[in-house]
Amino acid sequence: MNGNLDGSISNHNTLTKQIADLNVRIVSYESNGTSANDLRDKRNQLIEEVSRLTEITSLEEKNGAVTILTRSGLSLVDGTMSWELQRDGDAIYWNGIPKDVSQRLSGGQIGAWLDLRDEIIPQYMANMDEIASSLIQQVNQLHYDGYGLDGLTSRTEDVRAPVRAVFPAPDAAHAIVLQEAPSDSTRAGAFSIVPVAADIRPTVVATDARP
């Protein structure tokens, strides 16, 4: 999960630096009376790409440069300067300052990866633990009370009841697959991020129980 987050952060840092560089060129061109429309179009495109990574507000200054802030007011670009984001464990730092700003990054791919890592997946895992435990108890009780094909009237062996959930990842090119741990395991379960074909709609949540 953090690997995908790192990719989005790296892309974000590249884009904000490019926007700051374009600010320099646009200000220089227009201060000399030269049109910078092509550079402005390129900058607008980059700003749009940044907005897909996290929610932002952009403001144009009188000299033609733009300032970009997150919706919470964190500076990303100011004239000729840009500030980077860095991940350290589960924290995200701004401009190398060791203070977590994760809560100040919302929306877009970065916000979505953070929501998945910190809220959605932990909640799914907790729900799956509860569902799996209930299924195991119910199926084992049915085996205990009923007849088997071999004529036995009591079966108390453990019944595996994996519960799986599949749903889209923030970048739309992958799917999040949650797998419940075996009933005799101390693990809480596991998840993986896998590529998904364009014609797959990973929205199915399924449960099954088998010995």
Side-chain angles (χ1 to χ4, degrees), residues 46-119:
L46 296 179
I47 292 172
E48 178 65 25
E49 292 182 35
V50 173
S51 72
R52 297 192 190 106
L53 296 173
T54 188
E55 288 185 315
I56 60 171
T57 298
S58 61
L59 307 168
E60 182 169 339
E61 307 296 338
K62 291 182 179 180
N63 62 0
V66 296
T67 296
I68 300 177
L69 311 168
T70 66
R71 291 296 296 272
S72 66
L74 195 65
S75 294
L76 302 178
V77 178
D78 187 355
T80 63
M81 300 179 64
S82 64
W83 290 270
E84 292 190 345
L85 302 174
Q86 304 92 25
R87 183 185 64 82
D88 186 356
D90 286 343
I92 296 180
Y93 296 158
W94 173 82
N95 199 35
I97 299 173
K99 180 180 179 180
D100 188 15
V101 297
S102 298
Q103 298 301 316
R104 302 185 68 180
L105 301 171
S106 61
Q109 284 189 16
I110 292 175
W113 285 122
L114 289 171
D115 286 344
L116 275 172
R117 185 194 70 183
D118 299 337
E119 298 180 20

Side-chain angles (χ1 to χ4, degrees), residues 35-192:
S35 173
N37 287 340
D38 289 345
L39 297 178
R40 282 177 168 273
D41 288 344
K42 177 61 176 176
R43 186 178 66 184
N44 288 339
Q45 178 184 344
L46 296 179
I47 292 172
E48 178 65 25
E49 292 182 35
V50 173
S51 72
R52 297 192 190 106
L53 296 173
T54 188
E55 288 185 315
I56 60 171
T57 298
S58 61
L59 307 168
E60 182 169 339
E61 307 296 338
K62 291 182 179 180
N63 62 0
V66 296
T67 296
I68 300 177
L69 311 168
T70 66
R71 291 296 296 272
S72 66
L74 195 65
S75 294
L76 302 178
V77 178
D78 187 355
T80 63
M81 300 179 64
S82 64
W83 290 270
E84 292 190 345
L85 302 174
Q86 304 92 25
R87 183 185 64 82
D88 186 356
D90 286 343
I92 296 180
Y93 296 158
W94 173 82
N95 199 35
I97 299 173
K99 180 180 179 180
D100 188 15
V101 297
S102 298
Q103 298 301 316
R104 302 185 68 180
L105 301 171
S106 61
Q109 284 189 16
I110 292 175
W113 285 122
L114 289 171
D115 286 344
L116 275 172
R117 185 194 70 183
D118 299 337
E119 298 180 20
I120 297 174
I121 286 180
Q123 185 60 53
Y124 261 93
M125 300 299 279
N127 291 345
M128 286 165 58
D129 283 342
E130 184 177 349
I131 293 171
S133 176
S134 176
L135 283 174
I136 291 168
Q137 293 177 14
Q138 293 181 43
V139 173
N140 275 341
Q141 187 61 45
L142 288 172
H143 277 244
Y144 181 82
D145 293 339
Y147 285 85
L149 292 177
D150 55 5
L152 295 178
T153 60
S154 177
R155 293 181 178 275
T156 58
E157 74 273 16
D158 182 28
V159 178
R160 300 294 190 267
V163 180
R164 303 177 180 86
V166 182
F167 53 94
D171 61 6
H174 296 79
I176 307 295
V177 179
L178 299 182
Q179 174 66 58
E180 179 58 50
S183 60
D184 60 352
S185 171
T186 58
R187 294 184 296 109
F191 68 87
S192 57

